[in-house]
């Protein structure tokens, strides 16, 4: 059973940075499409960034140039480096994984992901 545990959320001022981490257990994370999704109050869950099993990365337009998704295969951990944070980035951030093809991974659809973490809250103040 794949388990995902996120860490690294918090409260920062606009312009600040945070790094989220997602520890994978029960599977080898690099064998999966993995990604970060977020859900703001009153809004649907949306894709932020994904990385395929072949290490192709895809970013939502809203975060391009500010966020970077990486993974450490030795630690079996997924990361999301978030710079230049904006109040509109405020949301619960979730780590997710799925055994899907690269082109499906790039679509960043929450419905395609099979495994989810509990989430970590990111709050950005202006």
């Amino acid at each position: 059973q794949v388990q995902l545990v996120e860490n690294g959320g918090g409260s920062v001022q606009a312009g600040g940075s945070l790094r989220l981490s997602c520890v994978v257990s029960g599977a080898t994370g690099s064998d999966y499409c993995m990604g970060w999704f977020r859900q703001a109050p009153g809004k649907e869950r949306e894709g932020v960034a994904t990385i395929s099993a072949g290490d192709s990365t895809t970013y939502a337009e809203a975060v391009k140039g500010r966020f970077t998704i990486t993974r450490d295969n030795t630690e079996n951990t997924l990361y999301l480096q978030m710079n230049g944070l904006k109040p509109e980035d405020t949301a619960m951030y979730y780590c997710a994984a799925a055994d899907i093809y690269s082109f499906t991974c790039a679509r960043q659809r929450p419905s395609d992901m099979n495994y989810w973490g509990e989430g970590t809250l990111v709050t950005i103040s202006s």
Side-chain angles (χ1 to χ4, degrees):
Q1 181 70 14
V2 179
Q3 293 188 319
L4 308 173
V5 179
E6 303 99 333
N7 277 294
S11 298
V12 298
Q13 290 190 326
S17 298
L18 284 172
R19 188 174 81 153
L20 307 183
S21 63
C22 171
V23 178
V24 182
S25 60
T28 301
S30 59
D31 290 341
Y32 289 76
C33 162
M34 295 200 66
W36 291 97
F37 295 75
R38 67 186 181 186
Q39 188 166 17
K43 294 189 176 181
E44 293 187 355
R45 193 169 297 189
E46 63 179 3
V48 174
T50 54
I51 182 167
S52 72
D55 288 337
S56 295
T57 57
T58 304
Y59 295 91
E61 285 296 323
V63 306
K64 277 184 181 178
R66 300 189 297 122
F67 291 10
T68 304
I69 187 170
T70 58
R71 58 179 158 206
D72 184 332
N73 294 336
T74 61
E75 298 290 334
N76 213 17
T77 300
L78 182 76
Y79 296 99
L80 184 69
Q81 178 66 44
M82 305 187 294
N83 299 326
L85 285 160
K86 304 176 181 180
E88 51 263 43
D89 294 319
T90 294
M92 186 70 80
Y93 283 71
Y94 298 91
C95 173
D99 184 12
I100 55 179
Y101 290 113
S102 177
F103 66 86
T104 305
C105 185
R107 290 177 180 170
Q108 300 190 341
R109 295 185 304 193
S111 59
D112 288 327
M113 309 306 284
N114 302 122
Y115 306 101
W116 291 88
E118 294 293 317
T120 186
L121 183 62
V122 171
T123 303
I124 312 302
S125 58
S126 58

